[in-house]
Amino acid sequence: MSASTSGKPDSKRDETKTTNRVNDTNKDASLLHRLAGPSSMKAGLALDQLEINKRIAEASKGSKYYENERRKDEELASKINALLKQRDELMAMADIPRLEAVADKVIAELEATRDLSQYIVHIDMDSFYASVEMLDNPSLVGKAFGVGSLGGVLSTASYEARKLGVRSGMAGHIAKKLAPDLIFVTNHFSRYSEVSGQVMTILRRYDETMNPVGVDEAYLNITDYCEANKITPEECTENIRKAIFQETKLTASAGIAPNKRKMLAKICSERNKPNGLFKLEFDAQAIRDFMKGLPIRRIPGVGRVTERLLESVGIKTCEDIYTQRATLVLMDKHFHMHDKLEIYLGLGSNVVRPWPREARKSVGSERTFHAISDPARINEKLEQVAKELEEDMERLGYSGHTVTLKLKLDTFEGNRAKSVHRPIRKYNELLSVGQELLAHELPLKLRLLGLRVTNLKDLRAQESGIKRFFGQTDDPNTRPLKRRKISNDKEVNTTVVGSILISDDEDDVDAGTSRKDLKRAATATPERPRSQILPDADVAPRASSHEPMPSQDTSPLPSKRAKTRPDHSSTSRKKPDELRSEQHICPICSKTLQTDNTGLNEHIDWCLSRSAILEASASETLNAGHGKPVSTQNKAISKAGGSKPKPKATQHSKPDIRLAWKQL
DNA sequence: CGGATCGAC
DNA sequence: CTATGTCGATCCG
Ligand SMILES: Nc1ncnc2c1ncn2[C@H]1C[C@H](O)[C@@H](COP(=O)(O)OP(=O)(O)OP(=O)(O)O)O1
Ligand SMILES: [Mg+2]
Ligand SMILES: [Mg+2]
């Protein structure tokens, strides 16, 4: 049961299966597994993994961090026990063949939606931060080093260091135990940002709508490019990798597949990590075979906790998803059958597009320091955080309406957060709100303080409708972007009449600007009392304009793209891609529904139990309107009275008791 | 809607 | 002795 909120060392990536098998049921083994995360790469390492885990456990023992992890691990374990108990009860009564039939039907329908027409490429730079560091300091080449600090956490590590078990997210001192000769190199975020900009610029040449994900990776749809230039996807991708290498001297790995996120292309790019390419065969059967052997943990979105949950019901590889489909149907609420079946089939979205500014939902800043309880000193930390946050908000061009305070006790546990509403923009506002929230919690010993603003207002967005004289501070290609919900604000135009607008703007990435910042050190040592003046430390993960990219594909924006992708759009229209918009097709009864997600789920629940009860035969006939055009889509502008305008039908909070009774 | 969890880079 | 920072999604009540 590995778990824990705080980031564990990067695991994922491991082939040589999870060695321990005998100890697997052992509590210690699970905790150990979580602390370390499977690592190892190719063969060779398998043997060492147990030893590595052991050393990590030894080094961790006794620390508060470790104790907190252990606590979480136990919580998860009991959660799983409860889940299994429920499953056993349900399975005892269930008509398994029927449940499997339900899943099989969904599988058949999903298979029918498979779209192999697009060439989606995922590009990911190799050990990015580490590679940039080697670029700037060639003497590091061939050495085992980590980027970060002893006493801090590592952002990443060189491949030589990885061979010894060192990973992203690993505490420096733990890494040192694994690799006594490990070299520590400090982060240079603005450099990474700069290089990232170069890479992204190259990628855009192959696909304007290229979709960056973080600083070192991106998705591209090269279908048009290949067509126009009469080259194969492999050639195109190799050209891309060559261009990146020639222009930046860095290597990247790539994956080519018919869909991206959550699936194939991304998985393929990791297939042969160091400087390689992997293209999946564009054939339904080949894809299904490819998926079969994959450990579910390799699926983006499946982390330690989910892995544990699935493993508890016998699902370790994607093939097991099929074997255990009855359980998935039965406990859909917990296991999301639909998503899992898509994974089993290797299906996924093939929509690639950049992230619009309006998609940002929050801006925050937080900081870890050696635990303190003195209110005055805590307040200083709050001031720092507030100041940094104001700078970021200014730089990014947002103001916000709600602020939440984040705290972490010296025990690592009990992260707590509160929030307040009120228009926020400047430092003093952030600080005073933060102080209010903090005061309410105070007698505490803290190791972290953070502030985050949500309910953002985009200060650079063209004024809704009428005024938009000011230069385009945004994407040069933005056209008549879809208007959002106009200002439904009650509060009339905040301060800032046009004047202040466009303060600095500078545009996207702060491209190597004269950033003399010496601010927070993400991966660096947590707060060095005195001295510690790293004149260079440009440390600070800049949140460049575009970078987040949630799994959701069905994003708002209408496609304004001039270039058209042949079928693509029409093809994918076949199925509701993911299921988020408004129209859905029930996977059980195939009816088209006009409803939101929860409405759809409710319908499916109803539909499942219905069809089970009434024998498959009658399935078609009865379908009283469910999934009806879902009531009013009230935008709920009325916050005045009881904000409960929605009748919200009966909520069967009953978990999975749907198909509980067996057929009779 | 706020808070806690999970996941990712 | 020692364990980051930033952000999105989802579920629960
Ligand atoms: N947990 C983390 N905390 C802070 N920074 C991180 C973390 N994980 C990754 N990063 C940063 C450093 C990485 O170089 C960069 C890109 O991540 P990622 O692509 O996952 O690994 P990587 O590029 O270092 O190695 P790989 O060759 O496996 O891709 O993001
Ligand atoms: Mg990478
Ligand atoms: Mg990456």
Side-chain angles (χ1 to χ4, degrees), chain A residues 60 361-362 364 366 368 452 520 550:
Chain A
S60 302
K361 295 189 172 150
S362 72
E366 67 187 54
T368 292
R452 176 163 298 271
R520 47 208 147 139

PDB file of all heavy atoms in Angstrom, chain A residues 60 361-362 364 366 368 452 520 550, chain C residues 2-11:
ATOM      1  N   SER A  60      15.291   5.689   6.064  1.00  0.00           N
ATOM      2  CA  SER A  60      14.064   6.420   6.397  1.00  0.00           C
ATOM      3  C   SER A  60      13.595   6.188   7.820  1.00  0.00           C
ATOM      4  O   SER A  60      12.980   7.047   8.432  1.00  0.00           O
ATOM      5  CB  SER A  60      12.932   5.994   5.461  1.00  0.00           C
ATOM      6  OG  SER A  60      13.279   6.211   4.126  1.00  0.00           O
ATOM      7  N   LYS A 361      -6.661  27.644 -13.598  1.00  0.00           N
ATOM      8  CA  LYS A 361      -7.634  27.722 -12.520  1.00  0.00           C
ATOM      9  C   LYS A 361      -7.061  28.195 -11.210  1.00  0.00           C
ATOM     10  O   LYS A 361      -7.814  28.504 -10.287  1.00  0.00           O
ATOM     11  CB  LYS A 361      -8.270  26.353 -12.321  1.00  0.00           C
ATOM     12  CG  LYS A 361      -9.066  25.981 -13.536  1.00  0.00           C
ATOM     13  CD  LYS A 361      -9.894  24.755 -13.334  1.00  0.00           C
ATOM     14  CE  LYS A 361     -10.817  24.557 -14.520  1.00  0.00           C
ATOM     15  NZ  LYS A 361     -11.099  23.144 -14.745  1.00  0.00           N
ATOM     16  N   SER A 362      -5.789  28.239 -11.112  1.00  0.00           N
ATOM     17  CA  SER A 362      -5.230  28.701  -9.847  1.00  0.00           C
ATOM     18  C   SER A 362      -3.778  29.133 -10.008  1.00  0.00           C
ATOM     19  O   SER A 362      -3.103  28.768 -10.959  1.00  0.00           O
ATOM     20  CB  SER A 362      -5.314  27.593  -8.797  1.00  0.00           C
ATOM     21  OG  SER A 362      -4.396  26.573  -9.072  1.00  0.00           O
ATOM     22  N   GLY A 364      -0.531  29.719  -7.245  1.00  0.00           N
ATOM     23  CA  GLY A 364      -0.200  29.603  -5.834  1.00  0.00           C
ATOM     24  C   GLY A 364       1.285  29.622  -5.570  1.00  0.00           C
ATOM     25  O   GLY A 364       2.102  29.590  -6.493  1.00  0.00           O
ATOM     26  N   GLU A 366       4.094  28.280  -2.330  1.00  0.00           N
ATOM     27  CA  GLU A 366       4.225  27.660  -1.028  1.00  0.00           C
ATOM     28  C   GLU A 366       5.689  27.486  -0.730  1.00  0.00           C
ATOM     29  O   GLU A 366       6.537  27.574  -1.620  1.00  0.00           O
ATOM     30  CB  GLU A 366       3.511  26.313  -0.990  1.00  0.00           C
ATOM     31  CG  GLU A 366       4.128  25.257  -1.855  1.00  0.00           C
ATOM     32  CD  GLU A 366       3.247  24.008  -1.897  1.00  0.00           C
ATOM     33  OE1 GLU A 366       2.045  24.139  -2.220  1.00  0.00           O
ATOM     34  OE2 GLU A 366       3.758  22.928  -1.617  1.00  0.00           O
ATOM     35  N   THR A 368       8.602  25.527   2.098  1.00  0.00           N
ATOM     36  CA  THR A 368       8.918  24.655   3.225  1.00  0.00           C
ATOM     37  C   THR A 368      10.090  25.260   3.970  1.00  0.00           C
ATOM     38  O   THR A 368      10.982  25.847   3.367  1.00  0.00           O
ATOM     39  CB  THR A 368       9.320  23.257   2.720  1.00  0.00           C
ATOM     40  OG1 THR A 368       8.180  22.628   2.157  1.00  0.00           O
ATOM     41  CG2 THR A 368       9.829  22.407   3.869  1.00  0.00           C
ATOM     42  N   ARG A 452      -2.844  30.124  -2.180  1.00  0.00           N
ATOM     43  CA  ARG A 452      -3.253  29.844  -3.547  1.00  0.00           C
ATOM     44  C   ARG A 452      -4.529  30.617  -3.850  1.00  0.00           C
ATOM     45  O   ARG A 452      -5.451  30.644  -3.045  1.00  0.00           O
ATOM     46  CB  ARG A 452      -3.487  28.333  -3.716  1.00  0.00           C
ATOM     47  CG  ARG A 452      -4.008  27.919  -5.090  1.00  0.00           C
ATOM     48  CD  ARG A 452      -3.813  26.423  -5.287  1.00  0.00           C
ATOM     49  NE  ARG A 452      -2.390  26.105  -5.241  1.00  0.00           N
ATOM     50  CZ  ARG A 452      -1.611  26.126  -6.322  1.00  0.00           C
ATOM     51  NH1 ARG A 452      -2.119  26.397  -7.495  1.00  0.00           N
ATOM     52  NH2 ARG A 452      -0.340  25.853  -6.196  1.00  0.00           N
ATOM     53  N   ARG A 520      12.580  31.383  -3.955  1.00  0.00           N
ATOM     54  CA  ARG A 520      12.402  30.057  -3.401  1.00  0.00           C
ATOM     55  C   ARG A 520      13.203  29.014  -4.144  1.00  0.00           C
ATOM     56  O   ARG A 520      13.432  29.083  -5.311  1.00  0.00           O
ATOM     57  CB  ARG A 520      10.955  29.684  -3.542  1.00  0.00           C
ATOM     58  CG  ARG A 520      10.528  30.028  -4.963  1.00  0.00           C
ATOM     59  CD  ARG A 520       9.108  30.320  -5.002  1.00  0.00           C
ATOM     60  NE  ARG A 520       8.872  31.331  -6.005  1.00  0.00           N
ATOM     61  CZ  ARG A 520       7.847  31.277  -6.807  1.00  0.00           C
ATOM     62  NH1 ARG A 520       7.023  30.302  -6.719  1.00  0.00           N
ATOM     63  NH2 ARG A 520       7.650  32.215  -7.661  1.00  0.00           N
ATOM     64  N   PRO A 550      -4.447  19.013 -18.620  1.00  0.00           N
ATOM     65  CA  PRO A 550      -5.200  17.963 -17.977  1.00  0.00           C
ATOM     66  C   PRO A 550      -5.607  16.865 -18.943  1.00  0.00           C
ATOM     67  O   PRO A 550      -5.460  16.992 -20.147  1.00  0.00           O
ATOM     68  CB  PRO A 550      -6.411  18.671 -17.415  1.00  0.00           C
ATOM     69  CG  PRO A 550      -6.388  20.028 -17.959  1.00  0.00           C
ATOM     70  CD  PRO A 550      -5.077  20.273 -18.583  1.00  0.00           C
TER      71      PRO A 550
ATOM     72  P    DT C   2      15.099  13.820  11.061  1.00  0.00           P
ATOM     73  OP1  DT C   2      13.707  14.144  11.427  1.00  0.00           O
ATOM     74  OP2  DT C   2      15.525  12.413  10.913  1.00  0.00           O
ATOM     75  O5'  DT C   2      15.439  14.570   9.706  1.00  0.00           O
ATOM     76  C5'  DT C   2      15.608  16.006   9.736  1.00  0.00           C
ATOM     77  C4'  DT C   2      16.124  16.467   8.382  1.00  0.00           C
ATOM     78  O4'  DT C   2      17.508  16.056   8.226  1.00  0.00           O
ATOM     79  C3'  DT C   2      15.370  15.790   7.240  1.00  0.00           C
ATOM     80  O3'  DT C   2      15.174  16.740   6.217  1.00  0.00           O
ATOM     81  C2'  DT C   2      16.279  14.696   6.780  1.00  0.00           C
ATOM     82  C1'  DT C   2      17.651  15.267   7.054  1.00  0.00           C
ATOM     83  N1   DT C   2      18.676  14.246   7.314  1.00  0.00           N
ATOM     84  C2   DT C   2      19.970  14.532   6.971  1.00  0.00           C
ATOM     85  O2   DT C   2      20.293  15.586   6.458  1.00  0.00           O
ATOM     86  N3   DT C   2      20.856  13.513   7.236  1.00  0.00           N
ATOM     87  C4   DT C   2      20.585  12.280   7.798  1.00  0.00           C
ATOM     88  O4   DT C   2      21.467  11.467   7.982  1.00  0.00           O
ATOM     89  C5   DT C   2      19.197  12.064   8.145  1.00  0.00           C
ATOM     90  C7   DT C   2      18.790  10.760   8.781  1.00  0.00           C
ATOM     91  C6   DT C   2      18.335  13.022   7.887  1.00  0.00           C
ATOM     92  P    DA C   3      13.638  16.997   5.978  1.00  0.00           P
ATOM     93  OP1  DA C   3      13.533  18.438   5.689  1.00  0.00           O
ATOM     94  OP2  DA C   3      12.782  16.362   6.986  1.00  0.00           O
ATOM     95  O5'  DA C   3      13.424  16.187   4.622  1.00  0.00           O
ATOM     96  C5'  DA C   3      13.867  16.748   3.404  1.00  0.00           C
ATOM     97  C4'  DA C   3      12.946  16.291   2.316  1.00  0.00           C
ATOM     98  O4'  DA C   3      13.044  14.871   2.175  1.00  0.00           O
ATOM     99  C3'  DA C   3      11.472  16.571   2.599  1.00  0.00           C
ATOM    100  O3'  DA C   3      10.825  16.755   1.368  1.00  0.00           O
ATOM    101  C2'  DA C   3      10.989  15.284   3.227  1.00  0.00           C
ATOM    102  C1'  DA C   3      11.779  14.264   2.449  1.00  0.00           C
ATOM    103  N9   DA C   3      12.054  13.033   3.186  1.00  0.00           N
ATOM    104  C8   DA C   3      12.477  12.914   4.484  1.00  0.00           C
ATOM    105  N7   DA C   3      12.681  11.675   4.857  1.00  0.00           N
ATOM    106  C5   DA C   3      12.369  10.933   3.721  1.00  0.00           C
ATOM    107  C6   DA C   3      12.382   9.568   3.462  1.00  0.00           C
ATOM    108  N6   DA C   3      12.742   8.651   4.357  1.00  0.00           N
ATOM    109  N1   DA C   3      12.020   9.155   2.230  1.00  0.00           N
ATOM    110  C2   DA C   3      11.670  10.076   1.334  1.00  0.00           C
ATOM    111  N3   DA C   3      11.616  11.404   1.457  1.00  0.00           N
ATOM    112  C4   DA C   3      11.983  11.764   2.682  1.00  0.00           C
ATOM    113  P    DT C   4       9.535  17.575   1.177  1.00  0.00           P
ATOM    114  OP1  DT C   4       9.396  18.399   2.378  1.00  0.00           O
ATOM    115  OP2  DT C   4       8.465  16.700   0.736  1.00  0.00           O
ATOM    116  O5'  DT C   4       9.913  18.528  -0.031  1.00  0.00           O
ATOM    117  C5'  DT C   4      11.101  19.328   0.095  1.00  0.00           C
ATOM    118  C4'  DT C   4      11.060  20.395  -0.978  1.00  0.00           C
ATOM    119  O4'  DT C   4      11.130  19.725  -2.269  1.00  0.00           O
ATOM    120  C3'  DT C   4       9.753  21.190  -0.991  1.00  0.00           C
ATOM    121  O3'  DT C   4      10.042  22.542  -1.307  1.00  0.00           O
ATOM    122  C2'  DT C   4       8.930  20.540  -2.070  1.00  0.00           C
ATOM    123  C1'  DT C   4       9.988  20.056  -3.047  1.00  0.00           C
ATOM    124  N1   DT C   4       9.610  18.844  -3.783  1.00  0.00           N
ATOM    125  C2   DT C   4       9.641  18.869  -5.161  1.00  0.00           C
ATOM    126  O2   DT C   4       9.949  19.861  -5.787  1.00  0.00           O
ATOM    127  N3   DT C   4       9.276  17.695  -5.759  1.00  0.00           N
ATOM    128  C4   DT C   4       8.906  16.518  -5.147  1.00  0.00           C
ATOM    129  O4   DT C   4       8.603  15.533  -5.811  1.00  0.00           O
ATOM    130  C5   DT C   4       8.897  16.558  -3.704  1.00  0.00           C
ATOM    131  C7   DT C   4       8.504  15.334  -2.934  1.00  0.00           C
ATOM    132  C6   DT C   4       9.243  17.694  -3.103  1.00  0.00           C
ATOM    133  P    DG C   5       8.925  23.635  -1.011  1.00  0.00           P
ATOM    134  OP1  DG C   5       9.601  24.849  -0.564  1.00  0.00           O
ATOM    135  OP2  DG C   5       7.839  23.023  -0.217  1.00  0.00           O
ATOM    136  O5'  DG C   5       8.356  23.902  -2.474  1.00  0.00           O
ATOM    137  C5'  DG C   5       9.223  24.390  -3.461  1.00  0.00           C
ATOM    138  C4'  DG C   5       8.463  24.538  -4.764  1.00  0.00           C
ATOM    139  O4'  DG C   5       8.244  23.226  -5.322  1.00  0.00           O
ATOM    140  C3'  DG C   5       7.071  25.182  -4.611  1.00  0.00           C
ATOM    141  O3'  DG C   5       6.856  26.002  -5.738  1.00  0.00           O
ATOM    142  C2'  DG C   5       6.146  23.980  -4.607  1.00  0.00           C
ATOM    143  C1'  DG C   5       6.856  23.061  -5.577  1.00  0.00           C
ATOM    144  N9   DG C   5       6.547  21.640  -5.453  1.00  0.00           N
ATOM    145  C8   DG C   5       6.328  20.901  -4.312  1.00  0.00           C
ATOM    146  N7   DG C   5       6.085  19.639  -4.556  1.00  0.00           N
ATOM    147  C5   DG C   5       6.155  19.541  -5.935  1.00  0.00           C
ATOM    148  C6   DG C   5       5.983  18.421  -6.784  1.00  0.00           C
ATOM    149  O6   DG C   5       5.722  17.250  -6.480  1.00  0.00           O
ATOM    150  N1   DG C   5       6.128  18.755  -8.123  1.00  0.00           N
ATOM    151  C2   DG C   5       6.418  20.023  -8.581  1.00  0.00           C
ATOM    152  N2   DG C   5       6.524  20.170  -9.896  1.00  0.00           N
ATOM    153  N3   DG C   5       6.583  21.083  -7.804  1.00  0.00           N
ATOM    154  C4   DG C   5       6.441  20.767  -6.496  1.00  0.00           C
ATOM    155  P    DT C   6       5.718  27.040  -5.770  1.00  0.00           P
ATOM    156  OP1  DT C   6       6.406  28.313  -5.787  1.00  0.00           O
ATOM    157  OP2  DT C   6       4.751  26.726  -4.719  1.00  0.00           O
ATOM    158  O5'  DT C   6       4.926  26.896  -7.143  1.00  0.00           O
ATOM    159  C5'  DT C   6       5.445  26.208  -8.247  1.00  0.00           C
ATOM    160  C4'  DT C   6       4.310  25.693  -9.110  1.00  0.00           C
ATOM    161  O4'  DT C   6       4.236  24.266  -8.947  1.00  0.00           O
ATOM    162  C3'  DT C   6       2.917  26.241  -8.744  1.00  0.00           C
ATOM    163  O3'  DT C   6       2.261  26.680  -9.907  1.00  0.00           O
ATOM    164  C2'  DT C   6       2.267  25.074  -8.039  1.00  0.00           C
ATOM    165  C1'  DT C   6       2.903  23.887  -8.718  1.00  0.00           C
ATOM    166  N1   DT C   6       2.907  22.615  -7.960  1.00  0.00           N
ATOM    167  C2   DT C   6       2.847  21.447  -8.698  1.00  0.00           C
ATOM    168  O2   DT C   6       2.823  21.414  -9.904  1.00  0.00           O
ATOM    169  N3   DT C   6       2.799  20.306  -7.959  1.00  0.00           N
ATOM    170  C4   DT C   6       2.801  20.212  -6.586  1.00  0.00           C
ATOM    171  O4   DT C   6       2.740  19.119  -6.048  1.00  0.00           O
ATOM    172  C5   DT C   6       2.911  21.470  -5.887  1.00  0.00           C
ATOM    173  C7   DT C   6       2.932  21.483  -4.390  1.00  0.00           C
ATOM    174  C6   DT C   6       2.964  22.593  -6.595  1.00  0.00           C
ATOM    175  P    DC C   7       0.810  27.306  -9.811  1.00  0.00           P
ATOM    176  OP1  DC C   7       0.806  28.419 -10.741  1.00  0.00           O
ATOM    177  OP2  DC C   7       0.419  27.473  -8.421  1.00  0.00           O
ATOM    178  O5'  DC C   7      -0.095  26.163 -10.421  1.00  0.00           O
ATOM    179  C5'  DC C   7       0.307  25.580 -11.641  1.00  0.00           C
ATOM    180  C4'  DC C   7      -0.602  24.425 -11.947  1.00  0.00           C
ATOM    181  O4'  DC C   7      -0.196  23.292 -11.157  1.00  0.00           O
ATOM    182  C3'  DC C   7      -2.078  24.703 -11.597  1.00  0.00           C
ATOM    183  O3'  DC C   7      -2.889  24.450 -12.707  1.00  0.00           O
ATOM    184  C2'  DC C   7      -2.377  23.715 -10.483  1.00  0.00           C
ATOM    185  C1'  DC C   7      -1.350  22.620 -10.711  1.00  0.00           C
ATOM    186  N1   DC C   7      -1.020  21.849  -9.502  1.00  0.00           N
ATOM    187  C2   DC C   7      -1.000  20.455  -9.589  1.00  0.00           C
ATOM    188  O2   DC C   7      -1.170  19.930 -10.691  1.00  0.00           O
ATOM    189  N3   DC C   7      -0.804  19.732  -8.465  1.00  0.00           N
ATOM    190  C4   DC C   7      -0.613  20.355  -7.297  1.00  0.00           C
ATOM    191  N4   DC C   7      -0.446  19.598  -6.210  1.00  0.00           N
ATOM    192  C5   DC C   7      -0.592  21.775  -7.196  1.00  0.00           C
ATOM    193  C6   DC C   7      -0.792  22.477  -8.316  1.00  0.00           C
ATOM    194  P    DG C   8      -4.422  24.774 -12.695  1.00  0.00           P
ATOM    195  OP1  DG C   8      -4.624  25.769 -13.755  1.00  0.00           O
ATOM    196  OP2  DG C   8      -4.874  25.046 -11.330  1.00  0.00           O
ATOM    197  O5'  DG C   8      -5.064  23.416 -13.180  1.00  0.00           O
ATOM    198  C5'  DG C   8      -4.375  22.659 -14.167  1.00  0.00           C
ATOM    199  C4'  DG C   8      -4.989  21.275 -14.245  1.00  0.00           C
ATOM    200  O4'  DG C   8      -4.471  20.459 -13.166  1.00  0.00           O
ATOM    201  C3'  DG C   8      -6.507  21.269 -14.095  1.00  0.00           C
ATOM    202  O3'  DG C   8      -7.039  20.307 -14.986  1.00  0.00           O
ATOM    203  C2'  DG C   8      -6.721  20.880 -12.641  1.00  0.00           C
ATOM    204  C1'  DG C   8      -5.539  19.960 -12.375  1.00  0.00           C
ATOM    205  N9   DG C   8      -5.103  19.938 -10.987  1.00  0.00           N
ATOM    206  C8   DG C   8      -4.791  21.007 -10.187  1.00  0.00           C
ATOM    207  N7   DG C   8      -4.451  20.670  -8.971  1.00  0.00           N
ATOM    208  C5   DG C   8      -4.548  19.291  -8.974  1.00  0.00           C
ATOM    209  C6   DG C   8      -4.302  18.360  -7.935  1.00  0.00           C
ATOM    210  O6   DG C   8      -3.943  18.579  -6.779  1.00  0.00           O
ATOM    211  N1   DG C   8      -4.513  17.053  -8.355  1.00  0.00           N
ATOM    212  C2   DG C   8      -4.911  16.688  -9.612  1.00  0.00           C
ATOM    213  N2   DG C   8      -5.075  15.391  -9.835  1.00  0.00           N
ATOM    214  N3   DG C   8      -5.141  17.547 -10.595  1.00  0.00           N
ATOM    215  C4   DG C   8      -4.942  18.832 -10.203  1.00  0.00           C
ATOM    216  P    DA C   9      -8.596  20.096 -15.051  1.00  0.00           P
ATOM    217  OP1  DA C   9      -8.921  19.799 -16.456  1.00  0.00           O
ATOM    218  OP2  DA C   9      -9.262  21.208 -14.334  1.00  0.00           O
ATOM    219  O5'  DA C   9      -8.819  18.765 -14.206  1.00  0.00           O
ATOM    220  C5'  DA C   9      -8.128  17.585 -14.582  1.00  0.00           C
ATOM    221  C4'  DA C   9      -8.717  16.398 -13.860  1.00  0.00           C
ATOM    222  O4'  DA C   9      -8.213  16.363 -12.498  1.00  0.00           O
ATOM    223  C3'  DA C   9     -10.244  16.420 -13.752  1.00  0.00           C
ATOM    224  O3'  DA C   9     -10.701  15.099 -13.992  1.00  0.00           O
ATOM    225  C2'  DA C   9     -10.495  16.899 -12.322  1.00  0.00           C
ATOM    226  C1'  DA C   9      -9.280  16.371 -11.569  1.00  0.00           C
ATOM    227  N9   DA C   9      -8.853  17.200 -10.429  1.00  0.00           N
ATOM    228  C8   DA C   9      -8.716  18.562 -10.411  1.00  0.00           C
ATOM    229  N7   DA C   9      -8.275  19.038  -9.265  1.00  0.00           N
ATOM    230  C5   DA C   9      -8.118  17.901  -8.487  1.00  0.00           C
ATOM    231  C6   DA C   9      -7.671  17.723  -7.167  1.00  0.00           C
ATOM    232  N6   DA C   9      -7.288  18.729  -6.367  1.00  0.00           N
ATOM    233  N1   DA C   9      -7.631  16.470  -6.683  1.00  0.00           N
ATOM    234  C2   DA C   9      -8.009  15.455  -7.484  1.00  0.00           C
ATOM    235  N3   DA C   9      -8.444  15.497  -8.742  1.00  0.00           N
ATOM    236  C4   DA C   9      -8.475  16.772  -9.195  1.00  0.00           C
ATOM    237  P    DT C  10     -12.237  14.767 -13.993  1.00  0.00           P
ATOM    238  OP1  DT C  10     -12.412  13.748 -15.036  1.00  0.00           O
ATOM    239  OP2  DT C  10     -13.035  16.023 -13.996  1.00  0.00           O
ATOM    240  O5'  DT C  10     -12.436  14.063 -12.572  1.00  0.00           O
ATOM    241  C5'  DT C  10     -11.436  13.175 -12.100  1.00  0.00           C
ATOM    242  C4'  DT C  10     -11.835  12.675 -10.725  1.00  0.00           C
ATOM    243  O4'  DT C  10     -11.283  13.542  -9.702  1.00  0.00           O
ATOM    244  C3'  DT C  10     -13.358  12.672 -10.508  1.00  0.00           C
ATOM    245  O3'  DT C  10     -13.693  11.501  -9.790  1.00  0.00           O
ATOM    246  C2'  DT C  10     -13.580  13.921  -9.684  1.00  0.00           C
ATOM    247  C1'  DT C  10     -12.317  13.957  -8.838  1.00  0.00           C
ATOM    248  N1   DT C  10     -11.951  15.273  -8.286  1.00  0.00           N
ATOM    249  C2   DT C  10     -11.397  15.310  -7.017  1.00  0.00           C
ATOM    250  O2   DT C  10     -11.200  14.316  -6.356  1.00  0.00           O
ATOM    251  N3   DT C  10     -11.087  16.561  -6.563  1.00  0.00           N
ATOM    252  C4   DT C  10     -11.268  17.749  -7.222  1.00  0.00           C
ATOM    253  O4   DT C  10     -10.939  18.808  -6.696  1.00  0.00           O
ATOM    254  C5   DT C  10     -11.852  17.642  -8.554  1.00  0.00           C
ATOM    255  C7   DT C  10     -12.086  18.877  -9.356  1.00  0.00           C
ATOM    256  C6   DT C  10     -12.154  16.425  -9.000  1.00  0.00           C
ATOM    257  P    DC C  11     -15.165  10.968  -9.762  1.00  0.00           P
ATOM    258  OP1  DC C  11     -15.232   9.799 -10.630  1.00  0.00           O
ATOM    259  OP2  DC C  11     -16.102  12.097  -9.976  1.00  0.00           O
ATOM    260  O5'  DC C  11     -15.309  10.491  -8.244  1.00  0.00           O
ATOM    261  C5'  DC C  11     -14.128  10.075  -7.531  1.00  0.00           C
ATOM    262  C4'  DC C  11     -14.315  10.333  -6.051  1.00  0.00           C
ATOM    263  O4'  DC C  11     -13.886  11.679  -5.724  1.00  0.00           O
ATOM    264  C3'  DC C  11     -15.789  10.233  -5.613  1.00  0.00           C
ATOM    265  O3'  DC C  11     -15.866   9.534  -4.379  1.00  0.00           O
ATOM    266  C2'  DC C  11     -16.209  11.689  -5.483  1.00  0.00           C
ATOM    267  C1'  DC C  11     -14.923  12.356  -5.042  1.00  0.00           C
ATOM    268  N1   DC C  11     -14.819  13.790  -5.378  1.00  0.00           N
ATOM    269  C2   DC C  11     -14.211  14.666  -4.470  1.00  0.00           C
ATOM    270  O2   DC C  11     -13.759  14.219  -3.417  1.00  0.00           O
ATOM    271  N3   DC C  11     -14.130  15.977  -4.770  1.00  0.00           N
ATOM    272  C4   DC C  11     -14.622  16.426  -5.935  1.00  0.00           C
ATOM    273  N4   DC C  11     -14.510  17.722  -6.186  1.00  0.00           N
ATOM    274  C5   DC C  11     -15.245  15.552  -6.876  1.00  0.00           C
ATOM    275  C6   DC C  11     -15.322  14.256  -6.563  1.00  0.00           C
TER     276       DC C  11
END
